Amino acid sequence: MLLHLSTWIEVEAYLTQSQGIILPIGSTEQHGPSGLIGTDAICAEAIARGVGDSTRAIVGPTINVGMALHHTAFPGSISLRPSTLILVIRDYLISLTRAGFTKFFFINGHGGNIATLKAAFSESYAVLSDLNLPNADQVQCRLTNWFTCSSVQHLARELYGSQEGSHATPSEVALTQYVYPEAIKQAELSPEVASGHPIYGAANFRQRYPDGRMGSNPNLATPEHGRQFYELAVKELSNSYLQFLNSV
């Protein structure tokens, strides 16, 4: 059940049965010479919809732009500041808590969002309490990252070994190839790829990682691999969502 394709009457009826909602969040940033700029949002959205179908949960609109300031030296990348993203999450939670939702299950596709999302949850709990919203003390947020699912990581190691890397990875590129086979890109990649450098500002990032990859070889990706990653992530996160929904 997708929130944006539902009526308020349908949402009101849903809330009599469940107070849980799945919120996909990603990023709009470079993913190397062959990776789609929307990779992180595409992956999060596809898996969130799969989990929603599996668990009969409502799925909110994808937050497509995240915290990706270090990628903005590459054309097409868009970022929110951490402070802006915190406010976005806070306002989402205020609106949805007013409606009656209390269990917020975020499916994240971008590592750069993690620290900001955790800070946003802490701020939101305090703001909801200060606003004296009904059920504010029952609000719980859970952050999950599809790419850290144990089953996903096991398959990535099996398929790609050390060439998985940590950005513009073959696993995430494979998932986008499965979701959008008509948008598969090809690029000649240098066998030498930077890895292991600390992340500072955008200009420094591009200097250290000139083609945008971080230790990865996305040319290993295939749509069939993407199907496998999708199915594993949906299964593991569906179980996690149901456990979260039933937790006190």
Side-chain angles (χ1 to χ4, degrees):
M1 182 177 178
L2 301 179
L3 182 67
H4 69 284
L5 297 182
S6 305
T7 67
W8 72 264
I9 294 172
E10 291 172 315
V11 176
E12 190 169 69
Y14 171 89
L15 283 164
T16 65
Q17 304 296 322
S18 175
Q19 289 74 56
I21 184 169
I22 297 169
L23 293 168
I25 180 169
S27 184
T28 299
E29 65 186 45
Q30 68 83 20
H31 272 79
S34 59
L36 305 180
I37 286 176
T39 291
D40 291 342
I42 291 167
C43 293
E45 179 174 276
I47 291 167
R49 291 186 177 194
V51 173
D53 288 342
S54 174
T55 62
R56 301 181 66 82
I58 199 164
V59 179
T62 303
I63 302 172
N64 289 284
V65 178
M67 205 306 288
L69 290 173
H70 51 293
H71 290 291
T72 53
F74 293 86
S77 298
I78 306 172
S79 181
L80 300 179
R81 297 179 185 182
S83 55
T84 305
L85 183 55
I86 288 172
L87 292 176
V88 170
I89 298 300
R90 190 190 73 178
D91 286 354
Y92 267 53
L93 295 178
I94 290 172
S95 298
L96 292 168
T97 299
R98 279 201 174 105
F101 291 97
T102 58
K103 293 274 193 171
F104 300 95
F105 191 81
F106 286 77
I107 295 182
N108 177 43
H110 173 50
N113 287 337
I114 294 173
T116 302
L117 284 172
K118 289 180 178 179
F121 296 164
S122 295
E123 179 166 327
S124 296
Y125 294 141
V127 169
L128 292 170
S129 177
D130 290 344
L131 291 174
N132 292 316
L133 293 183
N135 300 322
D137 60 336
Q138 297 177 34
V139 169
Q140 297 177 354
C141 299
R142 176 71 54 85
L143 172 60
T144 62
N145 309 295
W146 78 268
F147 50 88
T148 61
C149 289
S150 59
S151 57
V152 167
Q153 291 188 326
H154 177 80
L155 180 60
R157 286 193 299 268
E158 185 179 281
L159 291 174
Y160 313 126
S162 63
Q163 295 186 82
E164 166 71 352
S166 58
H167 181 66
T169 62
S171 59
E172 61 185 344
V173 169
L175 183 49
T176 65
Q177 291 178 345
Y178 171 63
V179 177
Y180 287 109
E182 72 277 13
I184 294 174
K185 312 292 183 180
Q186 302 292 336
E188 189 172 335
L189 302 178
S190 166
E192 299 295 325
V193 56
S195 66
H197 299 297
I199 296 174
Y200 298 111
N204 182 271
F205 183 94
R206 182 156 184 176
Q207 181 181 14
R208 292 174 183 269
Y209 299 101
D211 73 354
R213 294 181 294 149
M214 299 177 72
S216 64
N217 181 4
N219 279 352
L220 299 175
T222 71
E224 172 56 25
H225 292 167
R227 180 190 63 80
Q228 295 176 57
F229 285 119
Y230 170 82
E231 291 176 352
L232 289 171
V234 167
K235 181 178 180 180
E236 188 167 328
L237 290 176
S238 293
N239 290 333
S240 296
Y241 175 73
L242 292 175
Q243 290 173 3
F244 173 59
L245 201 62
N246 294 321
S247 65
V248 177

